[in-house]
Amino acid sequence: TYVIAEPCVDVMDKSCIEECPVDCIYEGARMLYIHPDECVDCGACEPVCPVEAIYYEDDLPEQWSTYTQINAEFFDSYGSPGGAARLGPTSNDHPIIAPLPVEPR
Ligand code: F3S
Ligand code: F3S
């Protein structure tokens, strides 16, 4: 799967959403999350992110290695909705993301 990492937090450019053929990029309150079971690894989202927040899981920079789990666990309460359009934007974040300090980025 592809994974969205920390640079997305409070940026949420959303260019990635337009590129995803299976609509598996879901909106939290402070960042977006890729559904690991719905992502088909097409890679279309990765180059369009202006802050380089998206990585193939094996290529995640070491300091963001926890984001594979963070993206996956975001869906613990949602299961597999089968498309972000069905769920809509949420006001939730993973418990590690929600309390992150707001920083100028
Ligand atoms: Fe976030 Fe980049 Fe998408 S900032 S919303 S991962 S285009
Ligand atoms: Fe969609 Fe990106 Fe996966 S475009 S299918 S989330 S690699």
Side-chain angles (χ1 to χ4, degrees):
T1 187
Y2 278 69
V3 170
I4 298 181
E6 199 232 35
C8 183
V9 176
D10 296 335
V11 175
M12 301 176 76
D13 177 81
K14 300 186 192 176
S15 299
C16 55
I17 291 177
E18 311 294 322
E19 301 300 322
C20 184
V22 295
D23 193 29
C24 69
I25 306 176
Y26 292 74
E27 196 173 330
R30 296 185 65 188
M31 67 170 279
L32 276 68
Y33 303 85
I34 293 176
H35 197 302
D37 299 330
E38 296 179 358
C39 173
V40 296
D41 289 354
C42 77
C45 54
E46 185 265 322
V48 302
C49 177
V51 293
E52 295 184 37
I54 308 177
Y55 295 87
Y56 183 62
E57 57 184 330
D58 293 345
D59 298 330
L60 260 180
E62 181 63 31
Q63 73 268 32
W64 297 324
S65 57
T66 52
Y67 278 78
T68 302
Q69 207 179 345
I70 288 171
N71 279 239
E73 289 177 352
F74 176 74
F75 298 98
D76 280 355
S77 58
Y78 297 122
S80 195
R86 290 191 191 171
L87 187 63
T90 80
S91 54
N92 295 325
D93 276 304
H94 186 279
I96 288 174
I97 301 303
L100 285 181
V102 176
E103 292 171 15
R105 292 171 201 267

